[in-house]
Amino acid sequence: GDSVTQMEGPVTLSEEAFLTINCTYTATGYPSLFWYVQYPGEGLQLLLKATKADDKGSNKGFEATYRKETTSFHLEKGSVQVSDSAVYFCALIEEYVDMRFGAGTRLTVKP
Amino acid sequence: DAGVTQSPTHLIKTRGQQVTLRCSPKSGHDTVSWYQQALGQGPQFIFQYYEEEERQRGNFPDRFSGHQFPNYSSELNVNALWLGDSALYLCASEPRDRPKTGELFFGEGSRLTVL
């Protein structure tokens, strides 16, 4: 069945460092792909999405490109800030399939 | 504009008891989904409600049941609680009048501890 695998954390970076969080997926059809973020004490919120191959989702300096050939949707940011400290979830959805989330990657950014 | 609200925020139960969790969707949303998030894991889909009926269900036993009211609010009920039910229970809402976008709005969750 459909599933998402993302890199294990936690990830600790210094401010202004480059961030990559890997995400790969397994799907039977053509899923839409998402990154959700969970800040401390808050609910999950959508960070970015991509609905078809080669689409790039972007928001708040974060980017991810839908790579069908490698079944990947890696999250990147060129320069992280302390305020980016959160748990990041990769997810997918298909028609007739519920939203599937990865296990989450905790990011801590130190000043 | 109120977002998704859930209650209670925290609760403690003992094994064998029953629990009811409540959710009010974001204004304008008529579809509510429930997720279970165990510690250190991603959310797992329990079920989805719209038009007051369960429309889709994940791999959860019948001990998990739900309800949706005419005002679109929803309840999650769990019977015969056991230790493994300890988790953060998340409610998410979305409008039904658009294609399936996956753009869910989540509440902050209800943290259930079963002793």
Side-chain angles (χ1 to χ4, degrees):
Chain A
D2 290 24
S3 66
V4 174
T5 302
Q6 60 182 105
M7 69 183 283
E8 305 222 350
V11 174
T12 302
L13 296 174
S14 298
E15 210 164 19
E16 300 184 2
F18 184 85
L19 169 71
T20 299
I21 301 178
N22 291 337
C23 171
T24 56
Y25 68 90
T26 302
T28 53
Y30 303 96
S32 295
L33 302 175
F34 306 82
W35 279 98
Y36 276 82
V37 59
Q38 189 173 34
Y39 296 104
E42 298 183 17
L44 277 78
Q45 54 187 270
L46 179 65
L47 180 60
L48 54 84
K49 65 179 282 189
T51 58
K52 61 184 187 298
D54 299 325
D55 268 3
K56 178 184 283 188
S58 61
N59 186 25
K60 299 181 180 180
F62 290 89
E63 292 183 341
T65 301
Y66 189 143
R67 301 284 188 202
K68 190 172 185 297
E69 63 276 13
T70 55
T71 62
S72 66
F73 192 55
H74 304 322
L75 182 68
E76 297 182 336
K77 186 175 185 182
S79 176
V80 294
Q81 306 301 312
V82 172
S83 57
D84 294 325
S85 298
V87 182
Y88 293 82
F89 294 92
C90 185
L92 69 79
I93 198 167
E94 280 195 84
E95 196 64 37
Y96 308 118
V97 177
D98 52 274
M99 181 79 84
R100 302 290 168 90
F101 287 87
T105 302
R106 181 175 298 278
L107 170 67
T108 301
V109 180
K110 297 190 172 181
Chain B
D1 176 23
V4 178
T5 58
Q6 293 187 241
S7 63
T9 54
H10 295 83
L11 68 167
I12 299 173
K13 294 285 188 178
T14 56
R15 281 173 292 177
Q17 285 189 312
Q18 178 262 347
V19 67
T20 297
L21 308 177
R22 296 175 177 84
C23 171
S24 292
K26 180 178 170 60
S27 177
H29 290 184
D30 59 359
T31 300
V32 173
S33 300
W34 287 92
Y35 290 81
Q36 181 194 66
Q37 186 179 8
L39 197 62
Q41 299 297 316
Q44 286 202 303
F45 176 75
I46 302 174
F47 41 54
Q48 182 182 78
Y49 277 83
Y50 65 90
E51 294 180 351
E52 301 179 47
E53 290 191 17
E54 182 182 300
R55 300 293 180 171
Q56 201 172 1
R57 188 178 183 94
N59 189 26
F60 279 80
D62 291 346
R63 299 187 297 109
F64 289 76
S65 63
H67 190 77
Q68 186 179 36
F69 300 93
N71 67 353
Y72 310 125
S73 67
S74 177
E75 287 182 351
L76 164 66
N77 300 291
V78 187
N79 294 322
L81 287 167
W82 69 294
L83 299 180
D85 295 329
S86 295
L88 181 66
Y89 288 85
L90 298 169
C91 173
S93 73
E94 61 186 309
R96 193 66 199 165
D97 61 348
R98 62 164 76 172
K100 195 174 183 179
T101 66
E103 295 181 18
L104 304 177
F105 289 78
F106 284 86
E108 294 181 19
S110 294
R111 183 162 298 282
L112 171 65
T113 301
V114 182
L115 301 177

